[in-house]
Amino acid sequence: MRVQSLTLVAASAALLAPTAFPAAPLPPRPGPQSQARPAPEPGPRSRAASGPAAGARFRAALAPEAVSRLRPERVAGSRSGSRPPLPGPDAGARTGGGTPGGAVSAADLLARTRDCVPVSRGRYRSDAGSPADIPVCGTRDAVFWKADLDIDCDGRSGDHCNARTDPHFMATTAYTRSDGGPLDAEKLPYVVVPQPSGIWDHRADGVHGGSVVAVVHGDRVGYAVVGDIGPRDIVGEASYATAKALGVPADPRTGGAASGVTYIVFKDTGTRPIEDTDATARTGERLARQFVDGD
């Protein structure tokens, strides 16, 4: 269970050379927040949660970044802007080994993320009190990290995500649907990125609300979007729908995966509207293929 701390995890010296993933923990030391992108963001909101995998989380209520910041050729979405029918729990997942349609396998993505060139100045924890040994790694077109998966059930209230099922449920998410409402954790696969800090500022690497993400667990690959902001010192959290797509127990109290989850965020990408899961899956498969092929 995560028991978050408001203590700022300080940045370590930048790691310049490629290292085998994961590298040994770096001792934390205080450092200023990154100023790579000057646009201010509201501060975090504290949250305490229970359960072995769904721990305490912070949220920052951020306005969605303008789509004009994204390269047009990498923005996906329906022409009408209307929300398509939502797929079933496994619609966003692809099993390892590939398919005749050319879906990228989990093994291919894991091979591509075997080595790490850190882009973070320091390292993250998977839970409060655990070692700070998780770097954010980067390539030309993506950033990635390997951690656990805690369940984010915040946003629109539903049958599985609400104040009754999750005692620390919050009815807001850092990013919103096209109609201005909070995201629906039960139906939208999304992941949580850490609040910008001296450890790492995701905005400096082209990561924003709606950025397309490949999430790997076991032999499954799911495609999601960046949908929420978490603590500045912890990584490893995704929505109820993301967990379901990957075959991970999704209960907000007891669900999640203790380890073995890889998050690959493709830089300067986005889905418009953010809730268009079909467009996210199509774009994710294309970007994953380019990532694996080294294009």
Side-chain angles (χ1 to χ4, degrees):
M1 175 178 74
R2 289 188 181 176
V3 179
Q4 308 287 2
S5 169
L6 292 177
T7 303
L8 172 67
V9 174
S12 301
L15 303 176
L16 302 178
T19 59
F21 199 109
L26 294 179
R29 60 183 178 82
Q33 289 197 355
S34 169
Q35 299 298 319
R37 297 289 178 90
E41 295 188 1
R45 296 184 283 114
S46 64
R47 169 178 176 163
S50 60
R57 302 185 290 269
F58 297 113
R59 295 290 175 270
L62 309 179
E65 283 85 2
V67 175
S68 59
R69 294 185 184 180
L70 307 176
R71 295 205 294 266
E73 69 274 13
R74 306 194 83 186
V75 178
S78 61
R79 295 182 180 179
S80 66
S82 61
R83 185 172 183 171
L86 289 165
D90 294 329
R94 301 292 182 269
T95 58
T99 70
V104 178
S105 71
D108 288 339
L109 288 169
L110 293 177
R112 185 72 172 84
T113 57
R114 182 175 296 119
D115 297 326
C116 174
V117 177
V119 296
S120 58
R121 294 180 59 200
R123 303 191 179 197
Y124 289 92
R125 306 175 190 276
S126 60
D127 295 287
S130 64
D133 58 0
I134 304 172
V136 175
C137 311
T139 68
R140 183 186 64 181
D141 294 320
V143 295
F144 62 91
W145 58 91
K146 302 187 178 186
D148 60 350
L149 192 159
D150 288 338
I151 306 300
D152 186 329
C153 228
D154 293 341
R156 188 175 184 179
S157 181
D159 293 338
H160 304 286
C161 291
N162 55 61
R164 178 180 54 81
T165 61
D166 182 350
H168 304 284
F169 173 78
M170 299 184 71
T172 58
T173 49
Y175 304 103
T176 61
R177 301 192 312 266
S178 56
D179 63 4
L183 301 182
D184 190 335
E186 290 185 16
K187 297 179 179 178
L188 179 65
Y190 69 76
V191 304
V192 180
V193 295
Q195 180 190 2
S197 72
I199 303 174
W200 179 55
D201 186 340
H202 58 267
R203 300 166 299 180
D205 282 299
V207 175
H208 306 282
S211 292
V212 179
V213 188
V215 188
V216 184
H217 176 67
D219 64 353
R220 291 197 179 195
V221 180
Y223 295 103
V225 292
V226 171
D228 212 349
I229 299 291
R232 65 183 60 198
D233 61 342
I234 293 176
V235 292
E237 191 174 3
S239 69
Y240 181 100
T242 304
K244 291 287 286 185
L246 294 172
V248 172
D251 185 275
R253 292 177 182 265
T254 63
S259 63
V261 180
T262 300
Y263 303 81
I264 306 167
V265 186
F266 301 108
K267 298 178 180 178
D268 298 311
T269 62
T271 297
R272 183 175 56 185
I274 194 172
E275 65 266 24
D276 190 339
T277 55
D278 287 345
T280 296
R282 290 192 302 269
T283 303
E285 288 174 354
R286 174 174 58 81
L287 294 172
R289 173 55 60 194
Q290 294 174 356
F291 179 70
V292 166
D293 292 344
D295 296 339

